[in-house]
Amino acid sequence: MKVVVLGAGVIGVTAAHYLRQEGHEVVVIDRQPAAALETSFGNAGEISPGYASPWAGPGIPAKAIKWLMMRHAPLILRPRLDPQMLTWLAMMLRNCTEQRYAINKSRMVGLAEFSRDELKALRTRLGIAYDERSQGTLQLFRTDKQLEGSAKDVEVLRSYGVPYELLDVDGCVRVEPGLSGSRHLIAGGLRLPNDETGDCHIFTTKLAERLAADGVEFRWSTTVEVLEQAGGLITGVRTSGGIVRGDAYLVAMGSFSPRIVAPLGVRLPVYPVKGYSITVPITDATRAPESTLLDETYKIAITRLGNRIRVGGMAEISGFDRSLPPRREATLLHCLNDLFPGAADKGETGYWSGLRPMTPDGPPIIGRTKVNNLFLNTGHGTLGWTMACGSGAVVASIIAGKHPPIPTDGLSLDRY
């Protein structure tokens, strides 16, 4: 079978890998000149199944109001007369209940845990290196209130059997010695020792190179224009380079997925939530992070990637705006300087923004559509890097007509 994959970010490329493993002929189309040059390019670098949680949860509306008032705000909302934005926000608010949060989180954690295991297997099998580390994630609490509030998170981790460690100030500095100069800011921490880190862009680029050598066709600098349909099936993809035909079609275009399927009557509740990052070279390794640290106050991740530090976070709901306001860069620098002073050269920030494809309930959308040969793998939000390999394995099995390797209840578009 010939499968046409639309999108060459980490979601599309990993799906192409698993499709190729199934023995399919695979064509990947992307408007960029190479792999992972949009949302997969500058993400925070963390692979954190234990933190796979919906944004929509109890208490979030009240917290959001407080966040909007902060100087270094983790949430930025730019309201506009955009029906898609308003509909998405309303759907998200409906999911801010204990019951829906529990259901959505269970769907996300299962996929994320499976995905981490698949990534390890893939890494071993292909020998791909991408500045990876397996030294866990530390969620840092600056206040006693935050530390006390972690009790609910611990209950959830325990219920899913996720290993964790509750740390005092000394414990935080023990696992992240670079915090020794900022220990006065720390109340405690929650560490997940099984989490990993790595450069998503490097991984995706190397995997695409392996796939190309294995016969997967990549059509770079090619814009997807329209999906052509006849007789209840997709018959081809009209692109800037001509029509591409296949037997099955997989949409993995992130935040742009709804636009390409909407003319077919497929309503996809995925909306772009903008994130920012900076990447700075390390100047003093003794002051730099060892792995990933999540600053609970600012909702920002600070990650060691080889001889670099990646600082990423914030959630800006502003449509498809890709601008780079200096104020957001200042927030990222503030968080880095506060916790790891003197660790990096702040004159070379590698400032970047990306559009995370978010669903209103949290889990991605993976599987079939009402068009028989059209499939989806999108809506991973901030967890694309965490869930990529698992999602690719799942959707490849669905396309092949096989039983998926994990339960997929609640991951398809049918849940809406």
Side-chain angles (χ1 to χ4, degrees):
M1 181 164 60
K2 181 178 180 180
V3 184
V4 180
V5 179
L6 309 183
V10 68
I11 299 299
V13 172
T14 50
H17 165 75
Y18 287 99
L19 287 164
R20 187 61 178 156
Q21 280 201 315
E22 291 282 355
H24 302 305
E25 178 184 354
V26 182
V27 179
V28 182
I29 305 173
D30 198 279
R31 65 181 180 179
Q32 296 291 347
L37 290 181
E38 295 199 21
T39 304
S40 299
F41 182 78
N43 65 27
E46 58 184 300
I47 301 164
S48 301
Y51 289 117
S53 301
W55 283 23
I60 288 298
K63 288 181 180 179
I65 294 172
K66 181 186 73 174
W67 290 335
L68 290 169
M69 300 297 108
M70 290 172 60
R71 178 186 175 191
H72 296 293
L75 174 66
I76 305 101
L77 175 61
R78 300 192 184 284
R80 58 181 68 193
L81 293 177
D82 177 353
Q84 187 183 7
M85 176 194 284
L86 297 175
T87 299
W88 185 88
L89 286 170
M91 292 176 70
M92 182 181 177
L93 288 172
R94 284 200 296 272
N95 278 278
C96 291
T97 66
E98 292 279 1
Q99 182 181 13
R100 292 189 179 186
Y101 177 84
I103 292 171
N104 293 328
K105 184 173 178 68
S106 68
R107 293 167 177 170
M108 297 172 74
V109 170
L111 176 60
E113 293 276 347
F114 169 67
S115 187
R116 182 197 53 214
D117 295 342
E118 282 294 312
L119 174 60
K120 289 180 178 179
L122 187 156
R123 180 173 67 219
T124 301
R125 186 169 62 250
L126 300 183
I128 292 178
Y130 46 92
D131 282 337
E132 72 278 2
R133 290 190 171 211
S134 301
Q135 295 176 236
T137 298
L138 174 65
Q139 184 178 12
L140 187 80
F141 305 118
R142 293 176 180 251
T143 68
D144 290 334
K145 184 177 180 181
Q146 290 174 347
L147 185 58
E148 292 164 5
S150 69
K152 288 186 177 180
D153 294 327
V154 168
E155 288 177 14
V156 172
L157 293 172
R158 188 181 295 117
S159 68
Y160 288 107
V162 178
Y164 68 90
E165 299 171 345
L166 276 172
L167 303 176
D168 59 11
V169 178
D170 289 337
C172 291
V173 175
R174 174 178 53 79
V175 298
E176 287 289 357
L179 293 171
S180 58
S182 57
R183 59 183 300 131
H184 61 287
L185 300 174
I186 303 170
L190 174 62
R191 181 171 180 260
L192 304 189
N194 287 350
D195 283 1
E196 300 190 1
T197 59
D199 191 311
C200 180
H201 173 250
I202 293 175
F203 168 84
T204 310
T205 299
K206 289 186 175 182
L207 182 57
E209 291 170 354
R210 296 291 186 92
L211 290 172
D214 189 39
V216 172
E217 180 184 354
F218 286 88
R219 298 199 179 191
W220 302 118
S221 303
T222 302
T223 301
V224 174
E225 296 175 349
V226 110
L227 290 169
E228 297 188 341
Q229 182 183 22
L233 295 172
I234 303 300
T235 58
V237 184
R238 191 192 313 155
T239 76
S240 57
I243 295 177
V244 182
R245 302 194 188 280
D247 302 301
Y249 301 81
L250 175 62
V251 177
M253 296 174 64
S255 297
F256 298 91
S257 299
R259 294 182 179 182
I260 198 65
V261 300
L264 305 170
V266 178
R267 297 290 176 257
L268 197 54
V270 171
Y271 196 78
V273 176
K274 187 178 180 182
Y276 295 91
S277 77
I278 56 173
T279 307
V280 292
I282 293 173
T283 55
D284 186 344
T286 65
R287 300 183 178 187
E290 289 294 322
S291 188
T292 288
L293 179 144
L294 301 176
D295 188 334
E296 176 65 15
T297 297
Y298 299 108
K299 304 295 182 182
I300 284 174
I302 305 175
T303 301
R304 174 79 165 265
L305 295 174
N307 60 359
R308 303 163 293 148
I309 299 174
R310 174 75 50 77
V311 187
M314 287 176 282
E316 182 173 316
I317 303 173
S318 57
F320 288 85
D321 173 38
R322 292 292 301 273
S323 62
L324 292 168
R327 184 176 177 182
R328 309 300 168 220
E329 182 183 25
T331 294
L332 297 170
L333 284 169
H334 167 76
C335 195
L336 174 62
N337 297 339
D338 218 22
L339 296 175
F340 296 98
D345 180 357
K346 298 177 287 296
E348 304 176 35
T349 64
Y351 186 28
W352 171 91
S353 71
L355 302 175
R356 310 177 185 108
M358 300 285 292
T359 60
D361 51 353
I365 301 171
I366 305 171
R368 298 179 175 277
T369 69
K370 64 181 182 180
V371 182
N372 285 336
N373 63 341
L374 179 65
F375 301 83
L376 301 170
N377 191 13
T378 188
H380 295 76
T382 60
L383 296 167
W385 185 204
T386 295
M387 294 181 170
C389 289
S391 299
V394 167
V395 80
S397 66
I398 293 172
I399 291 173
K402 296 182 177 180
H403 189 71
I406 61 171
T408 58
D409 295 342
L411 294 180
S412 75
L413 185 58
D414 291 343
R415 72 180 187 262
Y416 299 107

